[in-house]
Amino acid sequence: MNPPYTKQEKIRFKHVDYAGIVFYPRFLEMLNDLVEDWFEEALDRPFSKIHETNGIPTVDLKVQFKNAARIGEILTKSLWVKELKSSSVVCGFQFINEQEKTVLEGEVTLVNVAIQDDRKRIKAEAFSEEMKENISKYLSLNT
């Protein structure tokens, strides 16, 4: 089994609501940050370069909120590949708190696209062989 891509994130004031727990859309921003970091740090394909001619939009997202996260806590965010197709990748993700409780988990489907005609048309485009090889390093058989 390949290890997941993992990052830690401290829950800050900007993440929480009046009750002091993470406001749910902030979790989706944290997930997007995790995906963006994975592409830049692990796959050597930073979004700053991708978005010059391509994109990697989310086309499906399944999320389960398991436990609240509070200001000051540190979350460990993990992402792994469940399925790799020619132009898309299905990733599992999980956020765990310091007490080893799952805060958030789910799956996200990303599609590699080419942007054409001055950003008027978007079309799925196969990943390069090099990119598939890099993504495969995070493929987990235990999804």
Side-chain angles (χ1 to χ4, degrees), residues 3-4 10 14 28 42 47 76 84 89 106 109 126 134 140:
K10 183 177 183 176
K14 69 180 181 178
L28 302 183
F47 274 32
T76 300
L84 176 58
V89 59
T109 303
N134 289 340
S140 176

Side-chain angles (χ1 to χ4, degrees), residues 2-7 30-39 42-43 76-82 89-95 106-108 110 135 137-140:
N2 294 322
Y5 175 76
T6 303
K7 296 276 287 199
M30 290 180 213
L31 172 61
N32 192 72
D33 291 345
L34 182 64
V35 168
E36 192 169 336
D37 289 346
W38 179 53
F39 268 81
L43 304 179
T76 300
K77 307 182 302 182
S78 298
L79 178 122
W80 60 91
V81 175
K82 295 176 82 169
V89 59
V90 179
C91 297
F93 61 88
Q94 184 179 45
F95 293 8
E107 126 180 342
V108 59
L110 308 165
I135 291 171
K137 293 174 185 172
Y138 294 90
L139 188 61
S140 176

Side-chain angles (χ1 to χ4, degrees), residues 117-134:
D117 301 329
D118 291 330
R119 299 193 181 271
K120 292 179 184 168
R121 286 191 327 129
I122 298 173
K123 183 179 178 184
E125 180 176 82
F127 288 114
S128 70
E129 288 305 314
E130 179 184 1
M131 190 64 176
K132 282 190 214 175
E133 185 177 315
N134 289 340

Side-chain angles (χ1 to χ4, degrees), residues 40-93:
E40 182 170 353
E41 296 171 5
L43 304 179
D44 195 31
R45 193 170 174 214
F47 274 32
S48 60
K49 295 293 181 200
I50 291 173
H51 288 280
E52 290 175 357
T53 57
N54 293 72
I56 193 82
T58 297
V59 298
D60 191 38
L61 178 62
K62 296 172 181 75
V63 179
Q64 290 186 330
F65 302 95
K66 299 288 192 174
N67 287 288
R70 291 176 167 70
I71 192 167
E73 291 182 335
I74 305 289
L75 297 182
T76 300
K77 307 182 302 182
S78 298
L79 178 122
W80 60 91
V81 175
K82 295 176 82 169
E83 184 178 9
L84 176 58
K85 297 181 180 177
S86 66
S87 62
S88 67
V89 59
V90 179
C91 297
F93 61 88

